[in-house]
């Protein structure tokens, strides 16, 4: 058993190979198989209306809340490839199922990489045969194979009582509400009926992955899947399971935030004092997406005026004359006016905490995680496809 | 008479001085006076709910559709300064009015610069006395004095038949719908009743200033004012006047776009094929604000997949399988699939034209102007206040 990742819980095997999809020659295909005895599964997907072919295939496959395997590739998103893209995703699913002796609809497919290039199917076909023949305790290799511009693989593992939850994730840019450009696979050996799995995943995603907003962009490929093997023989109660699943999601989310493209700061933005949690979330996202706020963070500049200018455009109840802002716990703006010493607040550390009270006395509150807007972000994203 | 700018039309005088508000020691106060005989005026303001003190003062002053003068300062926005900020703006208005022998409510005040610092009122008081004593044909000096990180002053002038419209503008960042971080003053010597002036300004602003979206941020201070002196003695018909006013607004808007912070590309984004103009505008703005699209533009990278990923999140009717994208007139994506040669489209020029058809057959259409996201943008905006 691995100590972390998707093969840390019992009942899962994984493999990774180099199929030649990535120009770098790094491993670029992975397969994770749930060996049972149970095959409960749940998933959440991108809200983008332009969805990649593998998302369509996987959404259909998980429709019956059962999955036995997930096939991954990195280097090509198989998005915006028309009917050929759809056919390729279906073929990938079918070939993986055949290699594993499973029915096609028990296999999910996840792709990440460049949009608008046809999958190199010759390489993919050979890769599927190859990866299906190397299954074992190779969760960490799988986590590495799904990386794109990620600088480190992301894995997690949290113990329950006699059972555990493991996971892996990739994603570095195009991260915004309704998931980041992220692929996440979570595994557990607990006995968890599919309906419980689904509710726990939606709840955990709402307060972890869906609060991460790196650049306001939402990918065509975002997918988070959870599979439960039941191999531990233990059935935790719903709250117990939900708590451990949340821990794993939070851990992976934090790793995604820390490895976001060009990040030099991890910024947490909390909003309170508005009427509902939803309005607080709107306000936090508006601040977290503001380029001027993000540039100020990059410069360690306590320019709270930009926070006020940003939040003034948010769809949220506020008292424009009674907004307060705190940087790293220190008041920089009270009643919409600068607080003494505001310009001297030290933001030179990696973590910056921004708290905003919109001053209505309402009980709504929410937190969003984002990063700064750095030269490296521009550098990485101005030279990707060519 | 000046050949361009706010003193090019008859009936206006202007002056600029160095009051010492800008650390650079450059001119930072300006005054423009309408010498009549008429004093019709109209204005549009920021939609931000956090508004600067001068916006409150000017909104009240123009409530009767009459203005005789506008006092400007650059270097301090007088925003988020609480009751003291409000009092300072009122005092600036009163002192300018007194120096000119006018009633206070016939004077508008516009400020631009850093948010959250109290106005240096000693310098401001001396500056008002100074600037009011130097009135003359100095529109170009006024245009220079209102600059912040602008690299060039922005002036315009368009002739009607026996009358004309002139203008000046500043604004380089924090530019988004409902005006940019912009201050604009437009003058005309035509006879234009205030109601006509108001309708023409709102119409022109909607298709010029309000379509400019540099970074999705909307300032606390945005103000566009038009004053009509009637000094030419000519009363054009409404359409004639509206057409010339539009020309001046378009000219100033183009200058603002070209001088936006860190710009290396001027990007025009047109959307069609959705049900209403408003939905087309939503879609164009969503694309124009997407950091990944803007980074790709900086890199001259024809990465059309990012346009599809961006527009898929827009609040607009679309057929996700029938979206087309054209870069500089060349199809790069048809029916949501890459077009032949798409990766070879040349985007190395300064101007990039992006056209997107959302494929519903609807008649809605809109255009937004934006820029790329460059290293210089990050550089300028990560070191502003400190």
């Amino acid at each position: 058993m691995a100590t972390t990742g998707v093969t840390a819980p019992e009942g899962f095997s994984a493999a990774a190979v180099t199929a030649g999809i990535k120009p770098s020659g790094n491993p670029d295909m992975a397969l994770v198989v749930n060996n049972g005895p149970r095959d409960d599964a749940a998933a959440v997907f991108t809200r983008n209306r332009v969805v990649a072919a593998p998302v369509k295939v996987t959404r259909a496959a998980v429709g019956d809340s059962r999955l036995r395997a997930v096939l991954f590739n990195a280097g090509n998103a198989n998005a915006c490839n028309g009917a050929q893209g759809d056919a390729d995703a279906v073929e990938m699913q079918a070939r993986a199922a055949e290699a594993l002796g499973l029915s096609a609809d028990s296999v999910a497919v996840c792709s990440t990489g460049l949009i608008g290039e046809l999958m190199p199917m010759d390489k993919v076909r050979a890769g599927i045969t190859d990866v299906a023949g190397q299954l074992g305790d190779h969760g960490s290799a799988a986590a590495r194979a799904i990386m794109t511009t990620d600088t480190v693989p992301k894995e997690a593992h949290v113990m329950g009582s006699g059972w555990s939850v493991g996971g892996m994730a990739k994603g570095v840019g195009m991260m915004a509400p309704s998931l980041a450009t992220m692929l996440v696979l979570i595994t557990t050996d607990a006995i968890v009926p599919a309906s419980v799995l689904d509710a726990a995943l939606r709840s955990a995603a709402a307060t972890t992955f869906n609060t991460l907003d790196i650049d306001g962009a939402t990918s065509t490929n975002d997918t988070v899947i959870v599979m439960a093997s039941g191999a531990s023989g233990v059935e935790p109660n719903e709250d117990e399971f939900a708590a451990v699943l949340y821990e794993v999601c939070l851990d992976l989310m934090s790793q995604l935030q820390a490895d976001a493209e060009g990040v030099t700061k991890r910024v947490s933005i909390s909003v309170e004092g508005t009427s509902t949690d939803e309005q607080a979330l709107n306000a936090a996202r508006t601040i977290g997406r503001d380029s001027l706020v993000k540039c100020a963070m990059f410069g360690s500049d306590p320019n709270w005026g930009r926070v006020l200018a940003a939040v003034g455009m948010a769809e949220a109840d506020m008292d424009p004359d009674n907004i307060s802002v705190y940087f790293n716990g220190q008041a920089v703006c009270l009643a919409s006016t600068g607080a003494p010493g505001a310009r001297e607040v030290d933001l030179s550390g990696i973590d910056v905490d921004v708290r905003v009270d919109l001053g209505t006395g309402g009980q709504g509150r929410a937190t969003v995680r984002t990063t700064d807007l750095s030269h490296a972000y521009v550098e990485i994203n101005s030279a990707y496809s060519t």
Side-chain angles (χ1 to χ4, degrees), chain A:
Chain A
M1 261 336 104
T3 57
T4 188
V6 293
T7 55
E10 292 180 67
F12 294 91
S13 51
V17 297
T18 300
I21 306 168
K22 287 179 183 170
S24 63
N26 289 328
D28 49 20
M29 288 196 88
L31 183 63
V32 181
V33 176
N34 175 2
N35 300 305
R38 296 176 61 101
D39 59 356
D40 304 273
V44 290
F45 300 96
T46 180
R47 275 195 324 186
N48 201 312
R49 277 182 286 177
V50 176
V51 298
V55 170
K56 298 177 199 172
V57 165
T58 297
R59 193 178 269 151
V62 80
D64 63 356
S65 303
R66 308 281 147 205
L67 284 180
R68 279 287 176 189
V70 185
L71 176 70
F72 293 89
N73 78 271
N76 188 316
N78 194 13
C80 304
N81 285 332
Q84 186 61 52
D86 291 343
D88 290 345
V90 168
E91 184 182 340
M92 288 170 68
Q93 177 190 43
R95 284 182 180 267
E98 190 184 355
L100 297 168
L102 299 170
S103 66
D105 74 351
S106 66
V107 179
V109 180
C110 296
S111 300
T112 177
L114 191 61
I115 295 174
E117 292 286 321
L118 285 174
M119 291 292 287
M121 286 302 289
D122 282 354
K123 294 173 180 171
V124 168
R125 290 182 194 110
I128 291 171
T129 306
D130 199 10
V131 77
Q134 301 188 31
L135 289 164
D137 186 11
H138 307 309
S140 294
R144 196 168 282 279
I146 63 174
M147 292 162 61
T148 52
T149 53
D150 303 66
T151 65
V152 291
K154 288 128 187 131
E155 295 185 281
H157 186 229
V158 176
M159 295 300 300
S161 299
W163 54 278
S164 71
V165 178
M168 66 178 185
K170 68 78 49 180
V172 275
M174 215 186 262
M175 289 205 184
S178 296
L179 315 185
T181 298
M182 61 168 75
L183 300 180
V184 178
L185 176 62
I186 297 162
T187 56
T188 181
D189 51 14
I191 296 172
V192 192
S195 62
V196 175
L197 211 53
D198 185 69
L201 177 62
R202 285 174 197 284
S203 169
T207 51
T208 58
F209 302 122
N210 283 352
T211 67
L212 183 62
D213 191 332
I214 301 305
D215 54 15
T218 301
S219 152
T220 51
N221 291 57
D222 299 329
T223 302
V224 179
I225 295 172
V226 55
M227 295 196 292
S229 70
S232 70
V234 180
E235 182 170 358
N237 74 38
E238 294 184 24
D239 289 348
E240 269 182 297
F241 177 73
V244 172
L245 180 68
Y246 170 79
E247 284 297 312
V248 169
C249 291
L250 186 67
D251 186 342
L252 291 173
M253 185 277 287
S254 300
Q255 293 181 54
L256 290 166
Q257 182 187 25
D259 195 32
E261 283 172 346
V263 64
T264 78
K265 304 275 189 185
R266 294 178 298 227
V267 183
S268 169
I269 298 169
S270 299
V271 171
E272 60 193 64
T274 185
S275 54
T276 65
D277 289 354
E278 189 187 352
Q279 297 207 11
L281 190 59
N282 288 345
R285 281 192 175 141
T286 301
I287 299 165
R289 287 182 180 181
D290 188 88
S291 294
L292 293 168
V293 170
K294 290 161 75 83
C295 283
M297 292 295 157
F298 174 55
S300 300
D301 175 6
N303 191 339
W304 57 267
R306 291 182 179 176
V307 175
L308 256 69
V311 83
M313 292 302 291
E315 292 202 20
D317 291 334
M318 66 187 73
D319 178 348
D321 296 320
N322 192 30
I323 299 170
S324 300
V325 180
Y326 303 81
F327 285 160
N328 289 341
Q330 187 173 333
V332 290
C333 170
L334 296 169
S336 299
T337 305
R343 303 272 178 215
E344 281 73 52
V345 174
D346 182 9
L347 301 184
S348 62
I350 288 175
D351 289 294
V352 176
D353 181 74
V354 177
R355 186 160 67 83
V356 178
D357 186 329
L358 293 179
T360 71
Q363 296 303 305
R365 58 179 59 235
T367 298
V368 158
R369 286 87 168 184
T370 188
T371 57
D372 55 343
L373 176 53
S374 68
H375 285 302
Y377 179 90
V378 173
E379 192 64 30
I380 292 166
N381 287 300
S382 60
Y384 186 112
S385 79
T386 52

